[in-house]
Amino acid sequence: MKFNDNFGRLPPSYVFAGLAVKKNLARKKWGDELIDLGIGDVKLPLFGCVAEEMKKAADELTNVDGFKGYPPASGYDFLKDAIISDYEKIGVKLCRDEIFVHDGAKGELFALNSLMGRNGKILFPVPCYPAALESAIIYGNEPILLPADENGSVLPPFGKSCDAVYLCSPSNPSGKTLSEYELGLWVDYASSVGATLFFDGAYSDYVSSGGIKSVYLVSGAKKCAVAIRFFSKGYGFTGIRLGFTVAPQEQRELNDLRKRLSGSLDNGVSYVTQRGGAACFSTEGQAEMLERTKYYKTNAEILRNALKERGLKIVSGSDSPYVYAKCPDGFTDEGFCALLSDKAGVIATPGSGFYEQNGDYFRLSAFPSREEVSKAAERFIALRL
Ligand code: PLP
């Protein structure tokens, strides 16, 4: 067969596959003392109320009457209704027809690329979540990189045309949360050039400091924005796998295509998983999520304070489980991350792994335990440069 040449346009390995090799080398020196602030995977366990609901759902499946085979392609109504109620709380009205349940945001970024014609121009403010950009490359679309300024900000290029824009807020990796004004500018821009706004709201659950929780709170967004959400980092579903996409009816053709895709793409998400997802929206689930995100955000604050004490410029804000900072003068991102790993036993991710163009930044994940994060903070403060 003739292979897809676009793979040749990617780096040889995905950023975290490359990092895992470096981590294994560092483990030889540091053993159990190595602290991994590299990949952003959650460490705290599943909420009790979610697990209970999933157990009940599994029990139902053991009865002839309760057994369920293939789920509905775009998700069970009970989960869609829970999502609709959650949006209603912030004043956004959705209907079942606009919600597409899937097994996580990463695969969905690929799915959304498949709705676009090939060679489509997609704008990516960088640094950005690498799988988003790489899915565009693999599909033969043309990513256009817009480098962020020192504060992690990128303004829309009014007057320049494109087919789509990928935005993530709070951003992975930069931890920057777009204000309503900034998001409004992007919605105006996308509308003015007829582009679709792929809004990755993966970390919306982390927004608490008055920031905007949904792109649909911006006027005009339903006409151009598609929102991608997941349960991974707010509810600890990185292993269970669950997410959903909102494709508003105001974008009739896009909604129709996403619906059509559901039939061909996969056979849906398991009943047990979706019951667990619905439990996330219960009063108990929401209270747990707030506690959990607070824990990770406090971890991030501990790391930010340590880096500030070292005089480093921090880009990330307080609504993120990531810390993104500029390397000390005289260091490249690869060089500084290598030094951190060797001298402090701390794994960090170089900003270039997120397509940051100058090789000047690094990202720390605040998902490990408080004890590990505090120890890493002490090691930053003690590190000799
Ligand atoms: N989008 C962003 C911005 C992410 O940071 C991640 C994971 O870290 C994903 C999407 C993919 O998430 P998942 O596939 O776990 O739903």
Side-chain angles (χ1 to χ4, degrees), residues 164-228:
V165 178
Y166 170 81
L167 279 189
C168 179
S169 174
S171 156
N172 177 14
S174 80
K176 166 146 176 87
T177 307
L178 293 171
S179 67
E180 189 167 354
Y181 173 72
E182 289 168 312
L183 208 43
L185 288 180
W186 280 105
V187 167
D188 288 350
Y189 165 73
S191 310
S192 71
V193 296
T196 298
L197 192 59
F198 293 132
F199 184 80
D200 189 335
Y203 298 92
S204 303
D205 295 323
Y206 284 79
V207 176
S208 61
S209 54
I212 185 155
K213 277 187 177 275
S214 165
V215 65
Y216 299 119
L217 290 167
V218 173
S219 142
K222 280 207 174 170
K223 292 203 180 103
C224 65
V226 171
I228 308 145

XYZ file of all heavy atoms in Angstrom, residues 164-228:
476
model
N -10.166 27.116 9.805
C -10.480 26.783 11.203
C -9.411 27.360 12.120
O -8.295 27.673 11.681
C -10.556 25.269 11.372
N -9.801 27.477 13.394
C -8.861 27.941 14.420
C -8.957 26.946 15.562
O -10.061 26.536 15.929
C -9.280 29.327 14.971
C -8.342 29.780 16.068
C -9.374 30.358 13.874
N -7.813 26.552 16.110
C -7.834 25.712 17.313
C -7.454 26.595 18.500
O -6.401 27.227 18.509
C -6.832 24.551 17.181
C -6.629 23.789 18.480
C -7.538 22.820 18.886
C -5.536 24.059 19.314
C -7.373 22.138 20.096
C -5.367 23.382 20.520
C -6.283 22.427 20.896
O -6.127 21.753 22.085
N -8.345 26.626 19.496
C -8.062 27.403 20.710
C -8.253 26.504 21.914
O -9.168 25.679 21.928
C -9.065 28.543 20.866
C -8.918 29.842 20.106
C -9.944 30.829 20.650
C -7.521 30.425 20.229
N -7.431 26.692 22.922
C -7.586 25.907 24.153
C -7.494 26.878 25.326
O -6.520 27.629 25.441
C -6.457 24.876 24.218
S -6.484 23.853 25.682
N -8.520 26.859 26.167
C -8.514 27.771 27.321
C -9.271 27.142 28.490
O -10.401 26.712 28.303
C -9.166 29.097 26.939
O -9.292 29.939 28.055
N -8.643 27.055 29.670
C -7.261 27.327 29.983
C -6.350 26.450 29.121
O -6.670 25.280 28.903
C -7.132 26.954 31.465
C -8.528 27.010 32.010
C -9.423 26.656 30.880
N -5.276 27.031 28.681
C -4.444 26.350 27.685
C -3.527 25.297 28.292
O -2.939 25.493 29.355
C -3.601 27.405 26.967
O -2.445 26.827 26.421
N -3.427 24.194 27.599
C -2.337 23.257 27.820
C -1.396 23.495 26.654
O -1.818 23.304 25.508
C -2.839 21.817 27.803
C -1.707 20.833 27.964
O -0.600 21.204 28.331
N -1.974 19.562 27.692
N -0.161 23.929 26.841
C 0.569 23.931 28.098
C 0.628 25.269 28.842
O 1.029 25.290 29.999
C 1.986 23.605 27.631
C 2.102 24.348 26.340
C 0.729 24.231 25.701
N 0.239 26.400 28.209
C 0.668 27.677 28.799
C -0.104 28.064 30.056
O 0.306 28.967 30.772
C 0.561 28.811 27.766
O -0.781 29.249 27.677
N -1.224 27.370 30.325
C -1.977 27.677 31.539
C -2.663 29.032 31.459
O -3.146 29.557 32.463
N -2.697 29.608 30.254
C -3.351 30.919 30.115
C -4.848 30.721 29.874
O -5.250 29.873 29.065
C -2.702 31.662 28.947
C -3.510 32.847 28.516
C -2.707 34.012 28.033
C -3.630 35.112 27.529
N -4.092 36.044 28.509
N -5.665 31.501 30.582
C -7.112 31.447 30.391
C -7.541 32.691 29.630
O -7.199 33.808 30.029
C -7.837 31.402 31.755
O -7.283 30.326 32.504
C -9.329 31.181 31.592
N -8.269 32.500 28.543
C -8.717 33.647 27.749
C -9.821 34.391 28.491
O -10.716 33.765 29.086
C -9.257 33.180 26.403
C -8.224 32.573 25.444
C -8.916 31.953 24.234
C -7.231 33.631 24.996
N -9.761 35.699 28.436
C -10.832 36.499 29.040
C -12.012 36.508 28.062
O -11.864 36.143 26.890
C -10.346 37.934 29.270
O -10.123 38.550 28.010
N -13.162 36.988 28.559
C -14.337 37.061 27.693
C -14.033 37.974 26.490
O -14.433 37.689 25.359
C -15.515 37.604 28.497
C -16.803 37.509 27.746
C -18.014 37.758 28.635
O -17.856 37.886 29.856
O -19.124 37.837 28.069
N -13.282 39.041 26.760
C -12.944 39.973 25.672
C -12.087 39.281 24.609
O -12.352 39.363 23.408
C -12.208 41.190 26.261
C -11.681 42.128 25.209
C -12.548 42.925 24.470
C -10.305 42.188 24.944
C -12.065 43.771 23.480
C -9.819 43.035 23.958
C -10.704 43.816 23.227
O -10.217 44.650 22.248
N -11.049 38.557 25.088
C -10.154 37.879 24.130
C -10.903 36.821 23.318
O -10.736 36.697 22.112
C -8.988 37.216 24.881
C -7.996 38.221 25.451
C -7.010 37.574 26.424
O -7.446 36.829 27.325
O -5.816 37.838 26.294
N -11.742 36.062 24.027
C -12.517 35.022 23.340
C -13.470 35.673 22.329
O -13.674 35.158 21.225
C -13.293 34.222 24.388
C -13.628 32.776 24.070
C -12.470 32.038 23.442
C -14.044 32.065 25.361
N -14.019 36.821 22.731
C -14.916 37.569 21.834
C -14.191 37.969 20.550
O -14.754 37.897 19.453
N -12.921 38.363 20.683
C -12.152 38.748 19.498
C -12.000 37.552 18.555
O -12.123 37.675 17.339
C -10.756 39.237 19.891
C -10.658 40.598 20.583
C -9.192 40.923 20.901
C -11.243 41.696 19.699
N -11.744 36.369 19.146
C -11.566 35.168 18.310
C -12.878 34.783 17.631
O -12.891 34.371 16.471
C -11.033 34.004 19.150
C -9.549 34.106 19.380
C -8.915 34.474 20.535
C -8.511 33.858 18.421
N -7.554 34.472 20.357
C -7.277 34.089 19.066
C -8.497 33.474 17.089
C -6.044 33.933 18.420
C -7.270 33.315 16.436
C -6.069 33.548 17.102
N -13.983 34.931 18.359
C -15.289 34.611 17.755
C -15.565 35.592 16.609
O -15.978 35.188 15.515
C -16.410 34.645 18.828
C -17.790 34.631 18.189
C -16.254 33.476 19.795
N -15.262 36.879 16.836
C -15.465 37.882 15.774
C -14.598 37.539 14.570
O -15.033 37.625 13.421
C -15.068 39.287 16.262
C -16.077 39.828 17.249
O -17.148 39.213 17.393
O -15.771 40.840 17.912
N -13.345 37.181 14.864
C -12.421 36.869 13.767
C -12.931 35.668 12.966
O -13.039 35.730 11.728
C -11.012 36.591 14.322
C -10.136 35.926 13.291
C -9.643 36.650 12.199
C -9.836 34.563 13.371
C -8.879 36.034 11.217
C -9.072 33.943 12.397
C -8.600 34.687 11.316
O -7.865 34.067 10.341
N -13.254 34.566 13.696
C -13.698 33.345 13.001
C -14.930 33.663 12.162
O -15.032 33.247 10.999
C -13.984 32.242 14.024
N -15.872 34.434 12.741
C -17.091 34.777 11.999
C -16.742 35.595 10.770
O -17.314 35.393 9.694
C -18.055 35.587 12.865
O -18.246 34.939 14.089
N -15.776 36.517 10.925
C -15.479 37.427 9.807
C -14.854 36.697 8.622
O -14.964 37.150 7.492
C -14.580 38.586 10.259
O -13.270 38.101 10.518
N -14.163 35.557 8.879
C -13.531 34.853 7.747
C -14.256 33.538 7.429
O -13.788 32.745 6.627
C -12.012 34.594 7.996
C -11.250 35.897 8.097
C -11.786 33.725 9.238
N -15.372 33.305 8.096
C -16.144 32.080 7.846
C -15.430 30.825 8.330
O -15.583 29.745 7.753
N -14.625 30.955 9.389
C -13.878 29.787 9.901
C -14.630 29.127 11.058
O -15.452 29.759 11.721
C -12.505 30.247 10.392
N -14.310 27.857 11.285
C -14.847 27.159 12.457
C -13.834 27.283 13.586
O -12.625 27.158 13.364
C -15.083 25.666 12.125
O -16.039 25.607 11.078
C -15.608 24.901 13.331
N -14.355 27.532 14.789
C -13.491 27.646 15.966
C -13.565 26.333 16.726
O -14.626 25.991 17.261
C -14.033 28.796 16.817
C -13.200 29.323 17.959
C -11.858 29.813 17.460
C -13.933 30.487 18.618
N -12.469 25.573 16.702
C -12.427 24.352 17.510
C -11.969 24.775 18.895
O -10.797 25.101 19.101
C -11.452 23.333 16.914
C -11.891 22.787 15.582
C -11.019 22.716 14.506
C -13.196 22.327 15.399
C -11.425 22.218 13.275
C -13.617 21.821 14.163
C -12.729 21.771 13.110
N -12.906 24.797 19.828
C -12.570 25.281 21.162
C -12.354 24.086 22.091
O -13.295 23.365 22.435
C -13.693 26.182 21.713
C -13.334 26.770 23.037
C -12.509 27.885 23.106
C -13.771 26.196 24.216
C -12.130 28.413 24.334
C -13.411 26.724 25.446
C -12.594 27.834 25.500
N -11.101 23.885 22.471
C -10.754 22.760 23.350
C -10.921 23.235 24.792
O -10.072 23.938 25.340
C -9.312 22.333 23.051
C -8.925 21.036 23.747
O -9.537 20.734 24.780
O -8.013 20.347 23.249
N -12.040 22.821 25.375
C -12.334 23.229 26.749
C -11.966 22.136 27.735
O -12.660 21.935 28.734
N -10.868 21.438 27.435
C -10.453 20.311 28.276
C -10.337 20.711 29.752
O -10.649 19.921 30.645
C -9.129 19.746 27.767
N -9.875 21.949 29.986
C -9.619 22.336 31.377
C -10.658 23.333 31.912
O -10.392 24.042 32.884
C -8.183 22.903 31.494
C -7.181 21.825 31.114
C -6.732 21.696 29.809
C -6.772 20.887 32.052
C -5.878 20.663 29.440
C -5.917 19.850 31.694
C -5.483 19.749 30.387
O -4.645 18.716 30.040
N -11.840 23.357 31.299
C -12.886 24.291 31.747
C -13.208 24.091 33.230
O -13.562 25.052 33.922
C -14.185 24.075 30.970
O -13.965 24.199 29.615
N -13.107 22.842 33.706
C -13.422 22.578 35.116
C -12.471 23.316 36.063
O -12.752 23.439 37.252
C -13.336 21.073 35.408
C -14.383 20.288 34.639
O -15.505 20.793 34.490
O -14.070 19.168 34.180
N -11.343 23.765 35.531
C -10.359 24.454 36.377
C -10.609 25.955 36.476
O -9.930 26.645 37.228
C -8.930 24.199 35.844
C -8.465 22.802 36.188
C -8.890 21.700 35.449
C -7.653 22.571 37.290
C -8.506 20.416 35.792
C -7.265 21.288 37.636
C -7.693 20.222 36.884
O -7.318 18.950 37.234
N -11.571 26.450 35.711
C -11.811 27.900 35.717
C -12.580 28.285 36.973
O -13.671 27.784 37.217
C -12.628 28.333 34.474
C -12.973 29.813 34.530
C -11.854 28.026 33.197
N -11.979 29.144 37.790
C -12.712 29.564 38.986
C -12.537 31.039 39.277
O -13.349 31.639 39.948
C -12.261 28.747 40.204
O -10.892 28.960 40.419
N -11.487 31.662 38.749
C -11.204 33.033 39.184
C -11.944 34.060 38.321
O -11.344 34.996 37.812
C -9.695 33.275 39.136
O -9.209 32.960 37.849
N -13.243 33.821 38.140
C -14.029 34.789 37.373
C -13.865 34.626 35.874
O -14.432 35.393 35.102
N -13.079 33.645 35.437
C -12.850 33.430 34.005
C -14.085 32.849 33.341
O -15.038 32.419 34.014
N -14.056 32.787 32.042
C -15.232 32.359 31.291
C -15.198 30.834 31.130
O -14.197 30.265 30.721
C -15.323 33.138 29.958
C -16.580 32.809 29.203
C -14.128 32.944 29.078
C -16.994 33.935 28.263
N -16.303 30.171 31.498
C -16.327 28.716 31.571
C -16.733 28.046 30.277
O -16.527 26.851 30.111
C -17.274 28.262 32.682
C -16.635 28.280 34.059
C -17.571 27.666 35.078
C -16.927 27.599 36.439
N -16.105 26.431 36.644
N -17.391 28.788 29.392
C -17.794 28.169 28.134
C -17.699 29.193 27.015
O -18.062 30.362 27.192
C -19.241 27.672 28.229
O -19.719 27.391 26.933
N -17.244 28.709 25.863
C -17.147 29.600 24.701
C -18.537 30.116 24.317
O -18.686 31.217 23.785
C -16.452 28.861 23.527
C -17.268 27.689 23.025
C -16.150 29.804 22.377
N -19.589 29.339 24.649
C -20.944 29.731 24.233
C -21.515 30.893 25.049
O -22.623 31.338 24.796
C -21.882 28.521 24.250
C -21.395 27.464 23.276
C -21.039 26.193 23.709
C -21.234 27.771 21.928
C -20.545 25.244 22.827
C -20.739 26.840 21.033
C -20.392 25.583 21.493
O -19.887 24.661 20.600
N -20.739 31.369 26.022
C -21.169 32.570 26.747
C -20.825 33.821 25.931
O -21.246 34.927 26.259
C -20.492 32.620 28.120
C -21.010 31.545 29.096
C -20.118 31.422 30.313
C -22.446 31.864 29.520
N -20.039 33.617 24.875
C -19.673 34.746 24.016
C -20.711 34.875 22.905
O -21.056 33.875 22.254
C -18.277 34.517 23.398
C -17.949 35.583 22.364
C -17.223 34.477 24.488
N -21.162 36.085 22.688
C -22.204 36.286 21.679
C -21.682 35.899 20.280
O -20.553 36.234 19.908
C -22.652 37.750 21.785
O -22.899 38.277 20.557
N -22.494 35.159 19.549
C -22.124 34.740 18.190
C -21.384 33.415 18.134
O -21.158 32.866 17.050
N -20.980 32.870 19.310
C -20.136 31.655 19.303
C -20.867 30.428 18.760
O -20.250 29.568 18.132
C -19.618 31.379 20.708
N -22.185 30.369 18.985
C -22.902 29.179 18.507
C -22.874 29.064 16.985
O -23.065 27.992 16.443
C -24.339 29.189 19.017
C -24.436 28.710 20.450
C -25.790 28.132 20.695
C -25.870 27.517 22.073
N -27.233 27.152 22.414
N -22.608 30.193 16.342
C -22.592 30.168 14.864
C -21.246 29.707 14.316
O -21.110 29.428 13.130
C -22.900 31.568 14.316
C -24.317 31.996 14.601
C -24.723 33.064 13.596
C -26.138 33.523 13.845
N -26.231 34.809 14.518
N -20.214 29.669 15.177
C -18.900 29.288 14.611
C -18.104 28.321 15.485
O -17.149 27.716 15.000
C -18.059 30.533 14.333
S -17.609 31.437 15.811
N -18.470 28.155 16.765
C -17.589 27.359 17.644
C -18.103 25.943 17.895
O -19.296 25.722 18.075
C -17.415 28.084 18.982
N -17.163 25.019 17.886
C -17.427 23.630 18.266
C -16.630 23.410 19.547
O -15.429 23.707 19.571
C -16.907 22.675 17.163
C -16.966 21.236 17.610
C -17.710 22.878 15.894
N -17.289 22.957 20.607
C -16.566 22.805 21.873
C -16.251 21.336 22.140
O -17.106 20.465 21.962
C -17.396 23.378 23.018
N -15.008 21.081 22.545
C -14.585 19.724 22.869
C -14.333 19.679 24.380
O -13.590 20.512 24.904
C -13.263 19.379 22.131
C -13.408 19.678 20.649
C -12.854 17.928 22.359
C -12.149 20.178 20.023
